[in-house]
Amino acid sequence: MRLYDGGRAPNPRRVRIFLSEKGISVPVVAVDLGAMEHRSDSYAAINPLRRVPALELDDGTIITESIAICRYFEAIQPEPALFGTDPVEIATIEMWQRRIELHLLAGIQHVFRHLHPGMKEHEVPQVAAWGEANKPRVLEFLAILDQTLADRRFAAGDKYSVADITGVVALDFVRAAKLEVPAEFAHVGRWHAELRARPSAQA
């Protein structure tokens, strides 16, 4: 088994944090995104979408998409349960994982990929208007998230979950996108600080 990893990019980092929380160690193959190694023909043979991460199992099976990889490891090592245990908990975690992924992480990524000059070769074409359009969308969702966190410790309730992993990765990526989390979102700030304090956040 080996994990094709892309360094500090958000999606590979989600998998590393998940593995750290599980206490699972997997051999890693570094894919240099700056050198465009993910665009090479050799990597396309692993993932035709040319994106990281990708997990290659011992039998040659390839699993891509960060959450799919996390689900694989959840299935082979259920504890600690990061996708929930009972039906309501599982559904609630899935709901918040998707909300944070689609409305926060993806929005920040769109701002970064379409406005940052360093992404010119990666995002072709860059559409500045789309990057700008996502800035208010990120703030709108942060307001909703802040209200939610007013009466709960973590994104989906009282337990740390994969939704929080997506959350910390998204909020850590804010600076790279040259965005800010307004100080008025104090609950988001408290949540982010707690997530950042976990050892897994350094993965």
Side-chain angles (χ1 to χ4, degrees):
M1 179 187 300
R2 52 185 174 178
L3 179 68
Y4 292 86
D5 183 84
R8 300 305 292 176
N11 286 315
R13 187 169 172 237
R14 283 202 283 178
V15 173
R16 292 200 307 275
I17 293 174
F18 190 91
L19 291 174
S20 178
E21 290 284 342
K22 289 281 190 181
I24 297 173
S25 179
V26 177
V28 170
V29 177
V31 179
D32 189 339
L33 303 185
M36 307 292 279
E37 285 184 359
H38 59 301
R39 298 286 183 87
S40 67
D41 291 340
S42 60
Y43 187 72
I46 297 163
N47 182 2
L49 292 179
R50 303 173 191 258
R51 295 184 179 181
V52 287
L55 178 68
E56 183 177 5
L57 304 184
D58 292 339
D59 66 359
T61 298
I62 303 292
I63 302 171
T64 66
E65 306 302 328
S66 56
I67 294 301
I69 293 170
C70 291
R71 284 195 176 277
Y72 171 81
F73 285 111
E74 180 90 345
I76 65 172
Q77 183 175 308
E79 296 296 334
L82 298 177
F83 282 91
T85 54
D86 64 68
V88 172
E89 188 177 70
I90 291 169
T92 302
I93 289 171
E94 179 72 15
M95 176 178 71
W96 279 103
Q97 143 58 27
R98 289 287 287 167
R99 285 178 169 180
I100 294 170
E101 182 177 53
L102 293 175
H103 302 292
L104 184 61
L105 178 58
I108 295 167
Q109 287 177 316
H110 289 320
V111 173
F112 177 74
R113 294 183 70 89
H114 287 277
L115 293 177
H116 196 290
M119 292 301 294
K120 188 174 182 180
E121 293 182 3
H122 293 262
E123 192 66 43
V124 181
Q126 278 188 314
V127 182
W130 179 236
E132 293 292 346
N134 274 276
K135 290 181 178 181
R137 295 181 181 189
V138 168
L139 292 176
E140 288 169 7
F141 181 74
L142 282 172
I144 294 170
L145 184 59
D146 193 67
Q147 292 173 358
T148 300
L149 289 166
D151 59 1
R152 63 175 64 172
R153 182 179 178 187
F154 296 112
D158 296 328
K159 297 179 183 178
Y160 180 91
S161 73
V162 68
D164 299 292
I165 292 175
T166 300
V168 71
V169 168
L171 292 175
D172 284 351
F173 202 50
V174 162
R175 182 173 296 180
K178 298 183 179 179
L179 296 170
E180 292 183 0
V181 177
E184 65 192 79
F185 297 146
H187 303 298
V188 169
R190 181 271 307 162
W191 175 62
H192 186 206
E194 182 170 356
L195 299 182
R196 287 282 300 162
R198 297 177 75 90
S200 63
Q202 304 307 313

